């Protein structure tokens, strides 16, 4: 593959992933600032906030279903077609959210429709991530798979940066009353333009070499979901456990901090959004370097370094926040979200994809990632808020929760044995026409 073709592949995986996560994170941030008033009105503001976070969490529990549905499509008909479907679904749901009347206008129908659209978003993102990762990883040379596998993960932070940036700009130019009334709708509706651009970028990408070889060999799985639990259920469990430390602390650093910083620490929403935005820039810059490092020393080592750093940082994070200055808020967020989280998320996609067979890889990586996200990600802001309420606004239980997620993932990742050079050769694109017809049965080795 030429450098120009490879560049188009990673741009396609990065742009599509960025757009999907932009749509997805808009909901998480606006849920903390607006939806508790506009759609989940309650006499107690804390109850309204928890209802908004509960709606945020619901989509995480449907994401595994999206992984099953689109994993089936991706393993049966291809990665590219599936990615077009997921991007379209996400875009339509997000625009409709921006047009939805509030609770004050249409009553209980408003939160019901909002939750329905949120579930549709969950289905879309459930299939999007796996496809974006495989698009990059299955095209990449064997010695740069970690590097290219980091690009879809960069889409997560770029999408959040775009969402935070859009909301920061809007909150700085309109009054708080205007933002609650109509300002929050602008980025939801404008996302339609991004979706059109993303679909155009993906139009020129061919199917991945790994999937082509599976098709040519006649080994396409008839029921990938059934096959994955017959032959590689241990790998699914490892992926679920490994995902926990990548997702729960992330949503505490990036979403929970919005309400905690404004309501408990006295910061303005603009201040919190600005530091989150700065941290996402830093982690986005670091990701390809961390992915490249994993090509040199191994995915497992890089991931474990990140887990141990997260474990040790749980309490210092809150100690910095409790100083209640903008400087310490910035330092705390940059260290947690910008630096410590970067090696974990950069390596995640490549490490997951390398432990599954090609014929069920889309289903495998999607299930592991999305079940882990459902268990630990969507619930993280809700659990953190509930812990604050239960323990009289003490941050100690939240810090212990971060440590628990680190321990769970450390146990899971220790069970991974990285592939040998020969097995990595089998994963890579076949370079010559003489061996393109060879059937490749990729092996997975687990302790």
């Amino acid at each position: 593959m030429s450098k120009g073709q490879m560049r188009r592949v990673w741009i396609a995986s990065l742009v599509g992933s960025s757009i999907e996560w932009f749509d997805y994170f808009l909901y998480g941030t606006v849920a903390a600032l607006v939806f508790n008033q506009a759609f989940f009105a309650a006499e107690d503001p804390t109850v309204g906030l928890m209802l908004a976070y509960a709606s945020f969490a619901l989509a995480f529990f449907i994401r595994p279903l999206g992984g099953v549905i689109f994993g089936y499509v991706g393993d049966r008909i291809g990665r590219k077609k599936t990615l077009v479907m997921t991007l379209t679904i996400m875009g339509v749901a997000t625009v409709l959210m921006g047009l939805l009347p509030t609770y004050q206008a249409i009553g209980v129908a408003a939160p019901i429709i909002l939750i329905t659209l949120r579930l549709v978003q969950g289905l879309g993102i459930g299939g999007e991530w796996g496809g974006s990762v495989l698009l990059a990883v299955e095209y990449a040379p064997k010695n740069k798979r970690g590097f290219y596998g980091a690009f879809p993960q960069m889409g997560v932070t770029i999408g959040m940066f775009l969402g935070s940036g859009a909301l920061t700009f809007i909150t700085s130019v309109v009054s708080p009353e205007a933002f609650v009334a109509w300002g929050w709708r602008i980025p939801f509706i404008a996302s339609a333009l991004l979706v059109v651009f993303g679909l155009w970028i993906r139009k020129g990408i061919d199917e991945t070499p790994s999937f082509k070889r599976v098709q040519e060999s006649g080994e396409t799985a008839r029921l990938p979901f059934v096959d994955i639990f017959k032959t590689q259920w241990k790998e699914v469990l490892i992926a679920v456990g490994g995902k926990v430390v990548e997702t729960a602390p992330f949503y505490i650093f990036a979403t929970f901090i919005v309400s905690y910083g404004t309501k408990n620490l006295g910061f303005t929403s603009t201040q919190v959004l600005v530091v989150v935005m700065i941290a996402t820039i830093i982690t986005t810059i670091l990701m390809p370097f961390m992915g490249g490092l994993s090509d040199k020393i191994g995915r497992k080592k890089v991931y474990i370094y990140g887990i141990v750093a997260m474990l040790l940082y749980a309490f210092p994070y809150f100690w910095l926040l409790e100083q209640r200055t903008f400087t310490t808020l910035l330092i705390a967020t940059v260290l947690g979200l910008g630096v410590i989280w970067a090696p974990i998320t950069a390596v995640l996609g490549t490490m997951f994809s390398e432990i599954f067979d090609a014929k069920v890889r889309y289903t495998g990586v999607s299930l592991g990632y999305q079940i882990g996200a459902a268990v630990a990600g969507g619930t993280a802001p809700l659990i953190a808020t509930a812990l604050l309420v239960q323990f009289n606004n003490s941050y100690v239980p939240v810090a212990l929760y971060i440590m628990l997620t680190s321990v769970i993932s450390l146990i899971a990742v220790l069970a991974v044995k990285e592939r040998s050079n020969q097995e990595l050769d089998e994963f890579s694109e076949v370079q010559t026409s003489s061996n393109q017809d060879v059937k490749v049965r990729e092996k997975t080795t687990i302790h």
Side-chain angles (χ1 to χ4, degrees), residues 307-317 319 340 403 406:
I307 292 174
V308 173
M310 187 69 73
L311 179 68
L312 297 176
Y313 185 62
F315 275 95
Y317 171 68
W319 294 341
I340 293 174
M403 296 179 73
S406 302

Side-chain angles (χ1 to χ4, degrees), residues 51 62 77 87 151 173 346 380:
L51 287 172
I62 203 168
I77 70 171
L87 186 57
F151 282 96
V173 298

Side-chain angles (χ1 to χ4, degrees), residues 51-81:
L51 287 172
Y53 276 149
S55 69
F56 177 74
L58 279 176
F60 283 80
F61 290 100
I62 203 168
R63 277 167 58 173
L65 178 60
V68 171
I69 295 171
F70 293 110
Y72 173 84
V73 178
D75 283 327
R76 290 287 296 168
I77 70 171
R79 317 324 192 191
K80 176 186 172 181
K81 293 178 181 178

Side-chain angles (χ1 to χ4, degrees), residues 253 278-280 282-284 286 332-343:
F253 295 154
I278 292 171
T280 59
I282 293 173
T283 196
T284 304
L286 287 177
T333 306
V334 166
L335 284 177
L337 181 60
V339 178
I340 293 174
W341 186 70

Side-chain angles (χ1 to χ4, degrees), residues 4 29 36 44 48 142 149 160 195 197 200 204 208 231 243 248 265 276 287 318 389 391 406 414 420:
T29 305
N36 57 326
D44 186 343
K142 68 175 182 180
M160 192 173 76
V195 171
F197 176 70
W200 175 75
T208 70
T231 61
K243 170 67 177 170
L265 303 178
V276 169
M287 277 188 211
F318 285 99
V389 173
F391 293 94
S406 302
L414 285 173
S420 66

